[in-house]
Amino acid sequence: MIQGIFYARFLPQEGTKVVAQSPPGCIVATEFTPHLKPPLVDFDIVQEYIIPRKAFFNRFVTVNTPDGKHSILGFPVSIPHERYHRNEFLFNFGLVIEADVDHIPYERLVRRFAVTFAEMERQNGYLSTEGQADDGRRPIESLLEIVKEDLNNYGECMIPIDGANTINMKLFPYHAPPPPVHGWHVPVPKTKLAEIVDSTWDLTLQRIIPFVDGVNDVRRIAWLADVSLPLTQCALQHLLYYDTILLLDMFFFGSCYALRPGIHDFVANRAGIIDECAAYVCISPPPPLGSGAGAGHESMTSSTASLHMPGPSHLDPSTTPRPPLHAETASRPTTSSTMGPASARLSHYQLIKLMTTFCHGRSTMEWVRLHQEAGLDVLRDVDVRRLVQFGVVKGLLYRVHKYAVSKSYLTLLATGRRPGVELAGKKRAAEKGKGKEKEKSVTGSTTTKSPEDEGLEMKMSSRRMSRLQISEGETEEEDLEEEGAEENDDGENGEEEDGNINEESNGSEDGRGREDMGKMRRKMQRYLDGRHCFDQIITEQDLTDAEILRKLKYFDPHDIVVMYR
């Protein structure tokens, strides 16, 4: 909000002087305003920045007051011409706003003021002749007052100055760049998007909006809408930019949630937050028999109790069949069409007890069992997903994410080395040399290979290559051990070349198993730097939480640490 607006110019005899200001006395006190509030700024301190040195002219300038309460936004202008005293005309139109307000939307206003009046001064000396002749034009002070009131009240103004010039300005809100949207995020609509979308909207938005219901994650939305994942993420970023959705984490019964300081407001029931929670999460009993389809539809409609967020909000509890992206039940509602308006089944004390028993180290499933053992059937009375969602949106809960960290992998990243690259190159060269020597010793320089020898050699080379691939995903110590194992294998290969085909087939199967294990380790290793939560692994690798922990067992148990934060 604009606290004050002023016009200042440099006079050859008086120096910097505030010619017009609105409201009166906001910059300097006058003889007509001794009874009003003191000025917002100390003009004696900031006047050297109102009309600054020549290096700052024709630039956007921001000055903070010494007390840190207000900021002055200006655009000093210098118009050189021989008709002026000292051959130049210096002026500045400035705004006074609170220091903690975003300055970006007001910068365009200040620039427009400076450009408009500078051009009018060049055309007919509008500013330099102010007050010298009674030509019937509007005084600048009344003009500033209208601009201030219109911008504060309506965010825009259109004020005619004379027959040829009009001030047209609009205050555009500034939105910060949206955060990145990942495949494991769940977009929650804050308004009824389906009611405002029309045929002129982006085609990708039209396809994904029906599936943005606060339940589907981003990857599932892309699958259901038959849209590529990057396009879905870009479209959701547009909705996020205009503050029409917010992003939450996927819901799993194996997830852990902990309390935030905002839980004190929930316990104190400030602004009726418990009643709002009851209306959103409680499950009403099934409708009586014979109520008809209309009653069922009414119950389903009333189940979408608004979750009050910044701006209008709407969460649609309807669901669609989930594609087999991963086996774990993620982001699914725990109820069917039996959901309805607020139920009197749960008291305020019970809702407070439910919300305050979330803690670090206790999964949602353990939380359900805890209350079931205490005699409260949580799954019958409460939509657990909605309860968790309500707590996260209102700042009562936060998700405790799970991360896997490999100490040896972090060591390799810190030293700038890549696991097994150098050793793999050496081993490839050694294998080539050994292969050539064996080829010469077996076939001779002029002997032609038989089909059986070629097939056996292909098996041996595929086995060696599989072992070389495994080395890329292993630590240096494991590579050294494998080199020793391969030397023994070379001796065995000599015996195999004599005719032991059964041992070769068994070794090939063992090699394929080790190759699969090496691929799995390389695939998982990039997630072991402590920056990738389990939600990301679940989404990108189509694994469940239990499958991830099972695959981590292939690594050294003393090397892998699972962290919760």
Side-chain angles (χ1 to χ4, degrees), residues 213 215 251 253 279-286 299-300 302-305 315-320 329 331-341 345 377-387:
D213 56 2
V215 178
F251 174 77
F253 275 99
Y280 185 70
V281 307
C282 289
I283 302 173
S284 65
S299 175
M300 191 62 187
S302 62
S303 67
T304 58
L315 294 177
D316 186 2
S318 60
T319 58
T320 50
T329 304
S331 303
R332 292 188 180 182
T334 58
T335 63
S336 61
S337 60
T338 59
M339 295 171 57
R345 184 176 300 168
D377 192 351
V378 178
L379 297 179
R380 184 193 64 185
D381 299 335
V382 173
D383 185 344
V384 179
R385 178 189 61 82
R386 283 191 153 208
L387 180 66

Side-chain angles (χ1 to χ4, degrees), residues 12 14 21 89 109 117 124 220-221 289 294-295 298 368 386 405 445 464 472 491 502 514 521 542 554:
E14 304 178 35
Q21 55 185 331
F89 181 76
L109 301 181
F117 282 99
N124 53 22
R220 184 185 181 191
I221 292 172
L289 296 176
E298 181 181 355
V368 171
R386 283 191 153 208
V405 180
S445 58
R464 292 194 182 99
E472 294 181 1
N502 293 330
R514 296 191 63 183
R521 293 183 58 166
D542 292 341
Y554 289 103

Side-chain angles (χ1 to χ4, degrees), residues 238-277:
H238 283 285
L239 297 178
L240 199 62
Y241 177 80
Y242 291 106
D243 198 28
T244 55
I245 63 171
L246 56 87
L247 298 179
L248 300 180
D249 297 304
M250 292 189 296
F251 174 77
F252 298 102
F253 275 99
S255 303
C256 178
Y257 295 87
L259 298 177
R260 287 187 178 274
I263 193 66
H264 298 290
D265 296 336
F266 187 80
V267 174
N269 194 22
R270 292 180 182 172
I273 189 173
I274 298 181
D275 297 323
E276 182 183 352
C277 178

Side-chain angles (χ1 to χ4, degrees), residues 392-404:
V392 173
V393 170
K394 292 295 186 178
L396 313 177
L397 303 174
Y398 70 93
R399 169 77 180 277
V400 180
H401 284 282
K402 191 186 300 184
Y403 298 85

Side-chain angles (χ1 to χ4, degrees), residues 181-187 208 215-224 227-230 232-234 236 247-248 250 325 539:
V181 177
H182 298 293
W184 58 92
H185 284 151
V186 177
I208 69 172
V215 178
N216 298 327
D217 55 77
V218 174
R219 189 169 181 236
R220 184 185 181 191
I221 292 172
W223 192 92
L224 293 173
V227 178
S228 67
L229 182 59
T232 303
Q233 292 171 326
C234 182
L236 290 174
L247 298 179
L248 300 180
M250 292 189 296
L325 295 179
T539 305

